[in-house]
Amino acid sequence: MPMELVQTWVLPALLGLGLAAAAGLRAFLPLLLLALAARFELFGVDLNAKAEWLGSDAALITLGLATALELAADKVPVLDHALSALGTVTRPVAAVLAAGSVFAGVDPMVAAVAGLVIGAPTALAFHAAQSGTRLASTATTGGLLNPLVSIAEDLLAFATVLLALAAPLLVPLALLALLWLIWRLVKAVRRRVA
C-alpha cells in the first residue's frame, strides 16, 4: 500500500473512528482533546483547512466549558438521562465534525463526507451501547451507581481519544473489544434482572 494512501486515508479514517467512538460516549471531550492536540501540534495531528478553527482560543475555551458542563451534568440523577437523550443528536454531530476534521490532505467536501460516513454511525453505535449500560445500571441499582458508571465512561472516552491519537492502527481492535465487553455486561445485567 503506498504511503501517501496510508497518510491521506487510512490513518485519518482510523483516527476519525476512534474520535467518533469517544464522541458516542461524550460529545465535547473528544473535540476538546483533538483541538488541544492540533493547537499544540501533538501526535502529528493535522486538521483539514476548514476545521483549523478548532485550534483557536475561542474554540478551546468553548469546548473546555462545554466539556466541564457535560462531565458534571452526567453525574446528576435525571440530568444524566436528559443529557443522554440530547446526546442522540449532539454526539453524532460532534463525531462527524471530529472525524471529518482529521482528513487534512483532501478536499474539504470530501473530508466532510468521510466524516459523515465514519462519524455518525460509529457515535450512534457507542451511544446506544452507553445508553443500554446506563439503563441496566438504573434498573439494577435504582440509579445509585450511575455516577460511577459515568466516571467509567469519562475515563473510557478519554482513553479512546488518547489511543486514537497515539496509535490509530490499534483503534479497530480496541473498539471491537470494547463493544464485546459492553455487550457482555448488558447481557449479564439483563439476565440478573430477569
Side-chain angles (χ1 to χ4, degrees), residues 46-47 128 151 174 176:
D46 191 20
L47 298 179
I151 291 169
L176 286 174

PDB file of all heavy atoms in Angstrom, residues 46-47 128 151 174 176:
ATOM      1  N   ASP A  46      -2.997  16.924  12.118  1.00  0.00           N
ATOM      2  CA  ASP A  46      -3.114  17.974  11.131  1.00  0.00           C
ATOM      3  C   ASP A  46      -4.585  18.050  10.735  1.00  0.00           C
ATOM      4  O   ASP A  46      -5.164  17.034  10.331  1.00  0.00           O
ATOM      5  CB  ASP A  46      -2.229  17.651   9.923  1.00  0.00           C
ATOM      6  CG  ASP A  46      -2.090  18.818   8.965  1.00  0.00           C
ATOM      7  OD1 ASP A  46      -2.336  19.967   9.385  1.00  0.00           O
ATOM      8  OD2 ASP A  46      -1.737  18.572   7.807  1.00  0.00           O
ATOM      9  N   LEU A  47      -5.190  19.200  10.893  1.00  0.00           N
ATOM     10  CA  LEU A  47      -6.613  19.347  10.600  1.00  0.00           C
ATOM     11  C   LEU A  47      -6.846  19.821   9.171  1.00  0.00           C
ATOM     12  O   LEU A  47      -6.011  20.508   8.584  1.00  0.00           O
ATOM     13  CB  LEU A  47      -7.250  20.346  11.565  1.00  0.00           C
ATOM     14  CG  LEU A  47      -7.205  19.977  13.043  1.00  0.00           C
ATOM     15  CD1 LEU A  47      -7.851  21.083  13.863  1.00  0.00           C
ATOM     16  CD2 LEU A  47      -7.878  18.651  13.306  1.00  0.00           C
ATOM     17  N   ALA A 128     -25.643   4.119  21.721  1.00  0.00           N
ATOM     18  CA  ALA A 128     -26.637   3.095  22.025  1.00  0.00           C
ATOM     19  C   ALA A 128     -26.106   2.115  23.078  1.00  0.00           C
ATOM     20  O   ALA A 128     -26.830   1.737  24.009  1.00  0.00           O
ATOM     21  CB  ALA A 128     -27.033   2.340  20.752  1.00  0.00           C
ATOM     22  N   ILE A 151     -18.379   8.057  35.520  1.00  0.00           N
ATOM     23  CA  ILE A 151     -16.931   8.263  35.651  1.00  0.00           C
ATOM     24  C   ILE A 151     -16.182   7.251  34.787  1.00  0.00           C
ATOM     25  O   ILE A 151     -15.210   7.600  34.109  1.00  0.00           O
ATOM     26  CB  ILE A 151     -16.496   8.181  37.131  1.00  0.00           C
ATOM     27  CG1 ILE A 151     -17.034   9.392  37.885  1.00  0.00           C
ATOM     28  CG2 ILE A 151     -14.976   8.097  37.252  1.00  0.00           C
ATOM     29  CD1 ILE A 151     -16.904   9.303  39.395  1.00  0.00           C
ATOM     30  N   ALA A 174      -9.306  -2.300  19.504  1.00  0.00           N
ATOM     31  CA  ALA A 174      -9.763  -1.799  20.799  1.00  0.00           C
ATOM     32  C   ALA A 174     -11.276  -1.579  20.804  1.00  0.00           C
ATOM     33  O   ALA A 174     -11.953  -1.922  21.783  1.00  0.00           O
ATOM     34  CB  ALA A 174      -9.035  -0.504  21.141  1.00  0.00           C
ATOM     35  N   LEU A 176     -13.586  -3.069  18.885  1.00  0.00           N
ATOM     36  CA  LEU A 176     -14.267  -4.369  18.866  1.00  0.00           C
ATOM     37  C   LEU A 176     -14.263  -5.002  20.251  1.00  0.00           C
ATOM     38  O   LEU A 176     -15.286  -5.528  20.709  1.00  0.00           O
ATOM     39  CB  LEU A 176     -13.613  -5.303  17.848  1.00  0.00           C
ATOM     40  CG  LEU A 176     -13.906  -4.996  16.389  1.00  0.00           C
ATOM     41  CD1 LEU A 176     -13.070  -5.898  15.474  1.00  0.00           C
ATOM     42  CD2 LEU A 176     -15.385  -5.157  16.087  1.00  0.00           C
TER      43      LEU A 176
END
